[in-house]
Amino acid sequence: MDRELIAHFPVVLAVARRGGFGAAAAELGMSPSAVSHAVKTVEERLGLPLFARTTRSVALTEAGAGFVATVGPALTEIGEAVERLRAAKGRITGVLRLNAPRIAQRMALTAVIAEMAWRHPDLVIEVTSDDGLVDIVAGGFDAGVRLGEMIAQDMTAVRLTPPFKAIMVAAPGYIQARGEPGTIADLADHNCIGFRLISTGGDYAWEVQENGVDTAVKVRGSARVTDPLYARDLALAGVGLAYVFEPLVREDIREKRLRWVLADTAIEEPGLFLYFPRRAAQAPKLRAFIDVARAVLKLRA
């Protein structure tokens, strides 16, 4: 067994996962030249090209795809076995990679990660901010966080937050200047802060209840964002009406920095969930995170 060659396998997998040498280097904390050297070493020893390289892209060859499909699961099993042994001695180690939208970081993850730092200081939690819908397995993530309705049925889901409402808010100054909408139809006369969907590039239609029926309303205005937290900031600045999750602006409403408008039209979202492949449920680092999340959320509730 070529031990030097095996040491380079995680680098090859990172390049395949990230789709490039630069991105893999950033993930691994290596220089791009070191990553390139590791891949070249593996290819030379195997006598086969694993990647087809151009000036613009890096893609797996047929041999590379077969290599990744075989070696990837094997290295994952080895890593999990090592983690289980360390966990048996009371140590949770390694890197837990999470993919989560920005709202989840503020609404749930920050408190959990803070507690994890005290309980399991040997574990590194890496959070990738991503408001699009990604394949967490293909992306090399241990778990993701999304609204319950956005999680594939073949995933295991653990609740992180209670259900919450999606609401419309505006600054008192804006309402004083432009008036307060009394009906959904009145939104056409207001400056509404739009939201661009990263996954499709389309504009998000605000989901509301009208006469007990869920409906989607297309809005228009002078600003459009891809970050719900920035929509809140713009609303605070008096730009216009923002459509946000109520927990994100609860304190603003309490302190009268924002006013909740058309309250009877608000719909309820299922809440945020941590999700992951079923086979990953017993990984010590993920189990530790779930246990701490449940404890922290119970204390906060």
Side-chain angles (χ1 to χ4, degrees):
M1 183 180 294
D2 192 331
R3 295 182 180 179
E4 181 184 355
L5 186 64
I6 293 175
H8 294 318
F9 286 179
V11 180
V12 174
L13 295 178
V15 174
R17 183 168 59 248
R18 296 300 188 185
F21 291 87
E27 176 185 318
L28 298 171
M30 301 170 61
S31 67
S33 60
V35 170
S36 178
H37 175 73
V39 171
K40 185 177 180 180
T41 298
V42 174
E43 290 178 325
E44 289 178 348
R45 297 282 183 89
L46 295 178
L48 291 168
L50 300 179
F51 296 97
R53 305 162 175 82
T54 69
T55 56
R56 295 185 177 181
S57 66
V58 175
L60 285 167
T61 62
E62 183 177 353
F67 177 88
V68 169
T70 302
V71 173
L75 286 184
T76 297
E77 290 182 9
I78 292 171
E80 291 176 352
V82 172
E83 288 178 7
R84 285 193 292 269
L85 289 173
R86 289 173 174 168
K89 295 183 179 181
R91 291 181 60 213
I92 303 297
T93 63
V95 178
L96 180 66
R97 294 184 172 88
L98 303 178
N99 182 286
R102 293 173 179 83
I103 58 165
Q105 295 164 27
R106 179 172 294 188
M107 292 172 62
L109 292 185
T110 299
V112 178
I113 292 173
E115 184 65 20
M116 288 289 291
W118 286 102
R119 296 196 191 189
H120 305 292
D122 294 325
L123 177 68
V124 175
I125 300 177
E126 179 182 296
V127 182
T128 296
S129 300
D130 191 342
D131 292 316
L133 297 177
V134 302
D135 183 336
I136 59 171
V137 176
F141 298 102
D142 297 291
V145 180
R146 289 292 180 271
L147 290 172
E149 61 192 14
M150 297 180 177
I151 298 174
Q153 293 184 351
D154 62 347
M155 292 285 176
T156 297
V158 174
R159 179 177 289 280
L160 293 178
T161 73
F164 46 75
K165 291 184 181 296
I167 69 174
M168 287 175 273
V169 295
Y174 173 86
I175 292 176
Q176 184 177 5
R178 299 286 298 272
E180 182 173 346
T183 67
I184 291 174
D186 290 343
L187 294 177
D189 298 322
H190 280 269
N191 197 35
C192 297
I193 301 166
F195 187 80
R196 175 80 74 185
L197 295 169
I198 294 177
S199 56
T200 64
D203 292 339
Y204 178 75
W206 292 6
E207 297 180 38
V208 297
Q209 273 200 349
E210 186 172 24
N211 300 322
V213 178
D214 289 355
T215 185
V217 180
K218 293 184 178 181
V219 297
R220 61 183 181 180
S222 61
R224 187 181 298 119
V225 301
T226 59
D227 183 352
L229 297 179
Y230 192 48
R232 166 191 171 268
D233 293 344
L234 291 177
L236 285 168
V239 172
L241 299 175
Y243 183 87
V244 295
F245 293 144
E246 185 271 335
L248 294 174
V249 293
R250 186 173 296 161
E251 185 175 345
D252 296 318
I253 294 172
R254 185 185 303 121
E255 298 297 325
K256 301 186 185 306
R257 293 187 292 266
L258 290 174
R259 187 183 299 176
W260 184 348
V261 301
L262 294 177
D264 59 342
T265 69
I267 65 166
E268 186 169 86
E269 297 286 359
L272 292 171
F273 290 77
L274 182 78
Y275 70 101
F276 44 86
R278 292 190 177 94
R279 65 173 298 276
Q282 298 307 314
K285 58 188 178 184
L286 187 54
R287 289 306 318 170
F289 186 88
I290 292 170
D291 291 343
V292 170
R294 284 173 170 163
V296 168
L297 294 175
K298 181 178 179 180
L299 289 172
R300 293 177 69 194

